[in-house]
Amino acid sequence: MIKNNKKAAGRVFILSLLMLLLTASQTLAKDKDALLRYYALNVGQGDASLFVLPDKRTILVDTGPEENAGETVRYLKSCGVKKIDLLVATHPHEDHIGAARAVIAAFDVGQIWDPGYNQGSRTQRDYYRDVAAKKIPFGKPSRGYKKNMGDVKIEVLAPSKLMKGTHSDANNNSIVMLVTYGKISFLMCGDMEKEERSVIGKLPHATVLKAAHHGSVNGTDKKMLQSVKPDIVIFSYGIGNSYGHPHKEVQKLVKQSGILRFDTSHGAVKLRTDGKTIVYEKKKVVR
């Protein structure tokens, strides 16, 4: 009896050990997969950013221009995207929503956020028509709106009110939002200029700053960098663009601040985070 009990106890111990190892393995696998991945796409002179969340849902912030729509769709598919759970059109300029129709045609889109500023352009009219035809849920979030997507938090900082009579009303009615996963955050600024920034007030700290208006002087200044205190800044622009983006004054500020800088003109920027630290894939760092 004693001998048999020892055998039984041994079998129980081995079984318990196997179960413990299996649980640990599953936990490690879960932790390994619990990453937020961020891509700033190279769309030429334009803007498009993709978030792949830990639960595999996706957020696409802008789509880039129409002329690069095919490349944008192909790149999204190369990232494993099958559905866009949330498409954010920060504002109606063609370099931000020109490829929206191609994206809507290529992917199932769960919901669209739009600032609701009507510029009246052909690009915007066609995009709105396709949204209506596909009956995609359409929201116009404003300052103070918050949404959780799993463990990822989204806070809309702007628009807070309709801006009129500015240098560019379309730019100054951009959706500006903070995307946070754990201790890591991304400040997505669209083409916000100083007028819109002035009504937001003090901007929150963010690990990653997606520079406003492609690195224009009316999008980023010293006061903004001191408020946000980013570890990384990303400029989205096309080489040789006629606007001179990113402006030399902004480049100088970023360099003096010692902020790690990436430019989409050198290729897509790829970051990943577990909510504690952030890692960038091998890529040219601009000094």
Side-chain angles (χ1 to χ4, degrees):
M1 287 292 293
I2 295 175
K3 186 176 181 180
N4 289 339
N5 283 342
K6 285 183 177 180
K7 287 183 178 180
R11 287 195 295 269
V12 170
F13 174 76
I14 293 171
L15 182 60
S16 298
L17 182 60
L18 289 173
M19 290 179 67
L20 183 63
L21 290 172
L22 178 61
T23 301
S25 176
Q26 290 174 336
T27 301
L28 286 172
K30 183 179 179 182
D31 289 343
K32 184 179 179 181
D33 293 338
L35 297 175
L36 180 149
R37 299 181 183 275
Y38 170 82
Y39 306 83
L41 281 63
N42 178 9
V43 293
Q45 182 60 24
D47 220 322
S49 289
L50 171 70
F51 290 91
V52 180
L53 309 187
D55 64 7
K56 308 308 178 186
R57 282 186 286 180
T58 59
I59 304 170
L60 181 63
V61 184
D62 291 327
T63 65
E66 184 178 7
E67 66 178 1
N68 289 326
E71 180 60 31
T72 296
V73 169
R74 285 190 290 273
Y75 189 83
L76 293 174
K77 288 182 177 179
S78 76
C79 294
V81 175
K82 293 181 173 57
K83 176 182 179 181
I84 305 295
D85 292 283
L86 174 61
L87 170 58
V88 181
T90 62
H91 67 291
H93 280 160
E94 195 276 339
D95 61 328
H96 287 251
I97 65 164
R101 297 184 69 199
V103 169
I104 290 170
F107 301 98
D108 177 24
V109 178
Q111 184 181 12
I112 289 178
W113 286 0
D114 184 285
Y117 178 79
N118 193 349
Q119 187 184 30
S121 67
R122 176 195 62 82
T123 298
Q124 188 180 33
R125 288 196 305 270
D126 291 347
Y127 146 65
Y128 280 164
R129 186 176 63 245
D130 286 3
V131 171
K134 286 210 166 188
K135 299 180 180 179
I136 302 172
F138 187 91
K140 296 184 285 186
S142 57
R143 181 172 175 80
Y145 182 78
K146 297 179 182 180
K147 178 182 177 68
N148 289 345
M149 295 181 70
D151 294 328
V152 176
K153 300 176 181 178
I154 306 170
E155 181 181 1
V156 176
L157 306 177
S160 60
K161 65 178 183 178
L162 180 64
M163 302 290 287
K164 292 183 178 180
T166 70
H167 176 262
S168 172
D169 290 347
N171 285 348
N172 283 303
N173 284 284
S174 289
I175 290 179
V176 178
M177 62 187 200
L178 187 70
V179 179
T180 304
Y181 178 47
K183 296 180 179 180
I184 305 299
S185 53
F186 299 75
L187 183 58
M188 310 298 294
C189 296
D191 273 3
M192 171 182 64
E193 297 182 357
K194 60 184 179 181
E195 291 91 348
E196 183 172 36
R197 198 167 71 240
S198 69
V199 300
I200 295 176
K202 184 177 173 61
L203 287 164
H205 164 67
T207 315
V208 179
L209 171 63
K210 180 64 177 54
H213 201 189
H214 316 283
S216 169
V217 291
N218 57 28
T220 303
D221 60 16
K222 186 175 182 179
K223 184 177 179 181
M224 180 183 183
L225 290 179
Q226 288 175 338
S227 176
V228 178
K229 295 182 178 64
D231 297 318
I232 296 171
V233 65
I234 298 172
F235 292 129
S236 182
Y237 66 96
I239 293 176
N241 67 84
S242 60
Y243 307 100
H245 295 154
H247 289 154
K248 291 180 180 179
E249 299 92 326
V250 180
Q251 295 185 58
K252 184 178 179 180
L253 280 173
V254 169
K255 186 174 183 178
Q256 290 175 340
S257 300
I259 303 168
L260 197 62
R261 168 186 163 186
F262 295 106
D263 293 14
T264 62
S265 60
H266 296 141
V269 179
K270 305 174 186 179
L271 308 175
R272 65 181 185 273
T273 176
D274 59 1
K276 299 174 184 176
T277 59
I278 191 162
V279 177
Y280 61 91
E281 295 190 18
K282 187 177 181 181
K283 180 158 183 0
K284 181 176 180 180
V285 177
V286 182
R287 300 294 185 187

